[in-house]
Amino acid sequence: MRTAVHGMGRMGERRALKWALEGYWAGRIDAAQLEAAASAVRRRTWKLLDGAGIDVVPSNDFSLYDHVLDTVVAVGAVPARFRPGLAGEGVSASAGIALDRYFAMARGGEIAGQTVAPLELTKWFDTNYHHLVPEIGSGTTFAARPTKVVDELAEAAGLGIDTTPVLLGPLTFLVRSTAVVGADPLARLDELAGVYMELLGELAAAGANWVRLDEPALVQDRSADELVAFRRTYERITSALDRPRLVVSTYFGHVGDAMSVLRDLPVDGVGLDFCAGPENLDLLERTGGLPDKTLHAGVVDGRNVWVNDLAASLALLDRLRDLVGELVVSSSCSFLHVPDRLADEASLDPAVRSWLAFAEEKLAELAVLARGAEGGPTAVEDDLAANRDVLASRRRSALVADPVVRRAVEAAPSDPRRSAPAAERRALQRARLGLPPLPTTTIGSFPQTAELRASRAAWRSGRAGDDEYAAALRAEVDRVVDLQETLGFDVLVHGEPERDDMVRYFAGLLTGFALPEEGWVQSFGSRCVRPPVLYGDVSRPGPLTVPWATYAQSRTDLPVKGMLTGPVTMLRWSFVRDDQPPSATATQLGLAIGDELADLQAAGVCVVQVDEPALREGMPLRRAERDAYLAWATRAFRLATRVAEPATQVHTHMCYAELADVVDALAAMEVDVVSFEAARSHLTLLDAFEGAAYEGDVGPGVYDVHSPLVPSPADVEALLWRAVGVVGADRLWVNPDCGLKTRGYDETVAALANIVAAARSVRAALADRRPGPGERDPSAPSGET
Ligand code: GLN
Ligand code: ZN
């Protein structure tokens, strides 16, 4: 029985690619050195997979920045602003196009002397990986650019490893695109089919036996028309005489109505996810299976880190065997979403560690499953026995269950509410805070300086004591508070210097979490995160943020915003226990964070931001499941915030939220102010607020913190006027897109100064004119409604 893997992490050992990319961007290394580093990462990964006995080894799963951007290049859909000078220039083997053009699409840059804005970033389905959004407009042209995918096939072949090149499929590519002025991306499917035929022809000529096309868009609701178009596209693609065998892979859920379409598709294999989409089994049985096809059965979870239940997987494989032509034991999706290997984790509690499998351990699980599925349970007797012990030890462990937490969960209200309605809260808060119209604030973190990182490292390694570290952090808070006062901000933050990561910091102080040291997972480009492992009941042994918030408040007369990470984000950005429903875990988190909010309030903090950047990403991919999710997610949030008195202003922050889907949730969350990322999409997200039930204030980001470009006051003003036009001046806040943690100080100070300048100039202009219909008079004293 063959084994298959969708893909592996792209950073390489010790995140080699990250350092190379950042070195290249900073001008410390040249293109050749970057190419060499990228090639070393790819070669190491192929050898690793080959050595682990994986039969279907992917190529082109690697990316210098993002696989959706790679697909933009592969199908030639480079937007017009990046095209000047494109024809005839040299290409990078790792990018398939000139490196600087590639990075300009990813991060913004200069093309032919013009500053160009990058593509938008958005979450890859319900993961915390961000991809760049292809732009499809009437001017978009397609042309096959097979360089990268063909070169990688050859590069692996050079090592004697036969790989299956992977491409994002045409349906998913267009579904993940954005329409430029009224275009309908999906209308381009037929055209794109021709480009894929060409790519496949090139791959066949280069010696590819199989190619995998990924179509995770099939795990979302697709209309009958879309399925017809999908089928037509694949019929066309497969009609080429000279093509490799094709496997169409899906992941992140079940395929629903698409199962029968997949069954009849003239392709050679289908990939199904049985971890996120256990329904796939039933669907397969009901539609008669895939008797003439290869099934890549995704039984080893690419989205979580728990040891596989080998006996259960073998039982599942047994049922699948009779339903399909050939059965291949596979990952459920790319291992890009889990850390590389457990071997680097020396400091984890050995019990917790024994319950975990990262990517390399998952490769071993695949090999055992293939042996067991082929030779029967006796062929893997020892592995099964050891696996049973591990699962039993986890079930019985005293580390997992805390009776005190269980009792608190029992006692928690089923429909927690704040004590006053939105309008009343707003009046009380305005009277208390006395803010000007268009109040300015930031999202929380300030740049983490080299000195700060050095003091943290010294403290971690024991070279510096607690007092010394705390003094360094306090000095940083002083500096950040002074800076905000000088720049003229209205609601200050303490800058979060004590947090290396907004989830990890809290996880380190709560019970029930373990923190892998080297468990990096790519978030976007060179950025990686280390998700905590949430294995047990969650409680708060002591304050999490109170000393920092109160210290910062002691340094200024302006209000300082307390800063908490919300329960849903804690859950989504951790690897979460699978022995109870996520709703139960979210309740525990909501209660713990609520205790912290109560302490902040008691300490005199009058504005608290509870960040929920992951709320939208956690939305189930199928519409039918969304209400249930929003019900428990908003309840968890309210468990955290119900304790806020009416005069305590509750903010929340969301990242790249497709806001339309969560605007209604904002009303249910009873927040007073929401900020979100909007600069890169020119505030188009704001439209979602028109006619929505949410009555609170709105802070669309006016500075794109994911790009090194500093917006001018005029840029910011233009965005603000747009926002005034959509939501009115009365509800508008002025803030960057997100935290400033990853930016440098110089660019940050420049951008923040421009934000304040723009806010002041819009305020002045508004004061000079009569308020528009439905607008509050912006010159009226605040507190009045
Ligand atoms: N308060 C956090 C920060 O500023 C929010 C970050 C986020 O939304 N990802 O860093
Ligand atoms: Zn954010």
Side-chain angles (χ1 to χ4, degrees):
M1 184 167 301
R2 295 194 297 150
T3 51
V5 166
H6 284 84
M8 297 291 278
R10 300 154 180 168
M11 288 298 140
E13 200 141 35
R14 306 273 148 199
R15 289 178 291 154
L17 182 65
K18 173 190 176 70
W19 309 121
L21 284 169
E22 292 174 3
Y24 178 74
W25 295 332
R28 287 190 298 272
I29 66 169
D30 63 18
Q33 288 168 299
L34 174 59
E35 296 283 0
S39 168
V41 170
R42 292 190 294 263
R43 284 181 283 127
R44 175 178 174 275
T45 304
W46 287 319
K47 284 191 202 147
L48 181 76
L49 291 171
D50 193 51
I54 300 301
D55 302 294
V56 184
V57 173
S59 54
N60 202 43
D61 63 314
F62 173 84
S63 178
L64 266 190
Y65 202 97
D66 164 47
H67 59 274
V68 181
L69 177 59
D70 293 346
T71 316
V72 168
V73 174
V75 302
V78 174
R81 67 183 178 284
F82 303 103
R83 299 188 81 96
L86 174 64
E89 90 187 334
V91 304
S92 141
S94 298
I97 195 168
L99 271 185
D100 292 345
R101 200 176 293 278
Y102 181 82
F103 290 131
M105 286 193 274
R107 318 169 66 228
E110 287 229 333
I111 298 282
Q114 296 284 331
T115 303
V116 287
L119 302 182
E120 274 180 50
L121 270 176
T122 195
K123 297 266 161 96
W124 177 237
F125 294 88
D126 60 349
T127 76
N128 188 24
Y129 174 86
H130 302 66
H131 73 87
L132 289 153
V133 181
E135 295 170 6
I136 306 294
S138 53
T140 305
T141 53
F142 299 120
R145 281 184 88 94
T147 312
K148 175 176 186 285
V149 61
V150 167
D151 282 6
E152 283 194 24
L153 178 72
E155 192 179 26
L159 299 171
I161 301 172
D162 178 28
T163 58
T164 296
V166 182
L167 289 164
L168 187 57
L171 175 74
T172 304
F173 176 76
L174 292 176
V175 163
R176 302 305 301 186
S177 299
T178 184
V180 180
V181 283
D184 172 14
L186 278 176
R188 311 292 293 273
L189 251 183
D190 287 335
E191 217 178 312
L192 212 42
V195 176
Y196 276 79
M197 285 174 82
E198 225 176 294
L199 290 170
L200 293 178
E202 297 277 355
L203 283 167
N209 295 310
W210 282 86
V211 167
R212 198 183 83 219
L213 294 179
D214 282 0
E215 292 287 12
L218 292 178
V219 310
Q220 294 172 302
D221 303 325
R222 296 267 78 93
S223 69
D225 283 353
E226 287 169 348
L227 289 179
V228 167
F230 168 74
R231 180 187 194 137
R232 196 177 53 234
T233 304
Y234 274 79
E235 279 167 355
R236 169 113 190 269
I237 291 177
T238 49
S239 68
L241 289 179
D242 206 10
R243 64 161 175 94
R245 279 178 288 178
L246 275 187
V247 54
V248 175
S249 190
T250 66
Y251 37 83
F252 302 150
H254 69 82
V255 298
D257 294 344
M259 187 66 91
S260 52
V261 179
L262 287 167
R263 179 198 59 202
D264 299 337
L265 219 57
V267 297
D268 311 275
V270 167
L272 298 173
D273 179 345
F274 293 91
C275 299
E279 299 88 342
N280 275 328
L281 174 61
D282 190 46
L283 286 163
L284 259 185
E285 284 174 337
R286 280 197 283 122
T287 52
L290 300 165
D292 60 347
K293 290 189 174 58
T294 294
L295 171 68
H296 286 222
V299 295
V300 172
D301 196 350
R303 294 287 296 278
N304 215 331
V305 293
W306 306 106
V307 158
N308 192 273
D309 182 340
L310 296 177
S313 296
L314 285 176
L316 172 63
L317 291 170
D318 226 33
R319 286 180 70 180
L320 291 172
R321 191 196 310 266
D322 299 334
L323 291 166
V324 303
E326 185 204 0
L327 187 60
V328 173
V329 192
S330 171
S331 51
S332 69
C333 63
S334 173
F335 290 153
L336 169 73
H337 306 290
V338 294
D340 287 345
R341 59 171 186 219
L342 215 39
D344 298 328
E345 303 301 335
S347 61
L348 283 184
D349 180 319
V352 174
R353 192 176 186 280
S354 74
W355 306 334
L356 304 179
F358 292 175
E360 290 191 20
E361 291 74 30
K362 287 171 188 286
L363 298 179
E365 291 181 340
L366 284 166
V368 171
L369 288 170
R371 263 191 291 131
E374 198 161 272
T378 48
V380 288
E381 222 167 328
D382 294 349
D383 299 282
L384 283 177
N387 182 245
R388 257 194 310 273
D389 289 348
V390 165
L391 298 178
S393 98
R394 185 175 159 212
R395 254 192 319 270
R396 286 194 302 258
S397 171
L399 292 172
V400 171
D402 177 345
V404 179
V405 173
R406 300 272 146 170
R407 277 197 295 277
V409 166
E410 290 282 308
S414 62
D415 187 20
R417 290 273 159 203
R418 291 182 69 185
S419 56
E424 207 173 300
R425 298 197 306 266
R426 157 183 291 202
L428 288 165
Q429 291 159 18
R430 288 198 171 180
R432 183 180 187 185
L433 295 170
L435 299 172
L438 274 66
T440 48
T441 191
T442 60
I443 303 305
S445 59
F446 267 68
Q448 297 246 336
T449 57
E451 302 92 80
L452 192 59
R453 274 188 247 270
S455 358
R456 182 177 301 127
W459 172 66
R460 286 240 169 90
S461 67
R463 277 178 287 123
D466 289 353
D467 292 346
E468 202 178 319
Y469 181 49
L473 293 178
R474 274 197 301 273
E476 187 62 24
V477 172
D478 292 348
R479 174 165 124 119
V480 167
V481 168
D482 283 350
L483 174 64
Q484 293 169 91
E485 283 195 333
T486 313
L487 288 169
F489 276 89
D490 301 309
V491 173
L492 310 195
V493 297
H494 78 287
E496 305 180 21
E498 77 287 9
R499 305 177 195 177
D500 51 345
D501 173 302
M502 64 184 288
V503 168
R504 199 174 162 91
Y505 173 77
F506 288 91
L509 296 173
L510 294 166
T511 67
F513 285 92
L515 301 182
E517 273 308 311
E518 288 294 328
W520 296 102
V521 175
Q522 187 179 14
S523 170
F524 69 92
S526 67
R527 301 255 196 257
C528 303
V529 292
R530 272 182 303 175
V533 175
L534 203 180
Y535 63 87
D537 286 348
V538 176
S539 63
R540 187 191 74 132
L544 312 169
T545 64
V546 175
W548 298 114
T550 50
Y551 177 71
Q553 189 62 80
S554 76
R555 310 290 299 176
T556 176
D557 295 330
L558 293 167
V560 175
K561 202 162 42 163
M563 203 55 67
L564 301 173
T565 301
V568 182
T569 299
M570 289 297 297
L571 181 97
R572 293 292 312 178
W573 289 357
S574 299
F575 291 115
V576 180
R577 57 194 296 187
D578 57 356
D579 58 350
Q580 66 181 17
S583 55
T585 308
T587 298
Q588 294 182 3
L589 286 161
L591 290 171
I593 296 159
D595 290 346
E596 180 68 11
L597 199 151
D599 280 0
L600 282 174
Q601 183 170 252
V605 173
C606 49
V607 183
V608 183
Q609 179 173 307
V610 180
D611 289 327
E612 284 292 20
L615 188 101
R616 169 60 184 77
E617 148 204 324
M619 221 41 137
L621 297 173
R622 298 259 175 207
R623 288 194 186 280
E625 294 160 26
R626 291 192 172 176
D627 287 348
Y629 163 76
L630 285 175
W632 66 252
T634 57
R635 172 173 179 260
F637 186 89
R638 277 180 282 127
L639 284 172
T641 54
R642 75 188 148 136
V643 289
E645 287 154 10
T648 301
Q649 190 170 60
V650 176
H651 292 223
T652 192
H653 167 72
M654 298 184 170
C655 287
Y656 286 106
E658 277 150 35
L659 225 62
D661 296 331
V662 291
V663 164
D664 293 337
L666 289 172
M669 286 159 73
E670 300 193 299
V671 294
D672 302 307
V673 183
V674 60
S675 62
F676 50 93
E677 302 189 347
R680 219 181 254 202
S681 53
H682 310 292
L683 270 50
T684 46
L685 299 174
L686 269 182
D687 300 343
F689 287 92
E690 272 176 312
Y694 172 68
E695 301 166 64
D697 291 359
V698 180
V702 290
Y703 161 35
D704 175 6
V705 306
H706 292 96
S707 160
L709 306 176
V710 172
S712 69
D715 292 339
V716 176
E717 256 187 74
L719 292 176
L720 289 177
W721 281 116
R722 229 208 112 158
V724 168
V726 184
V727 295
D730 187 45
R731 299 170 71 190
L732 191 61
W733 285 64
V734 182
N735 46 258
D737 262 352
C738 194
L740 304 164
K741 185 179 356 194
T742 56
R743 295 261 65 97
Y745 251 105
D746 291 347
E747 51 184 328
T748 297
V749 170
L752 293 182
N754 292 351
I755 287 181
V756 173
R760 286 187 173 152
S761 117
V762 174
R763 264 178 218 163
L766 286 168
D768 288 343
R769 74 162 170 93
R770 292 164 55 79
E775 270 176 24
R776 192 178 68 98
D777 179 350
S779 55
S782 44
E784 223 176 78
T785 48

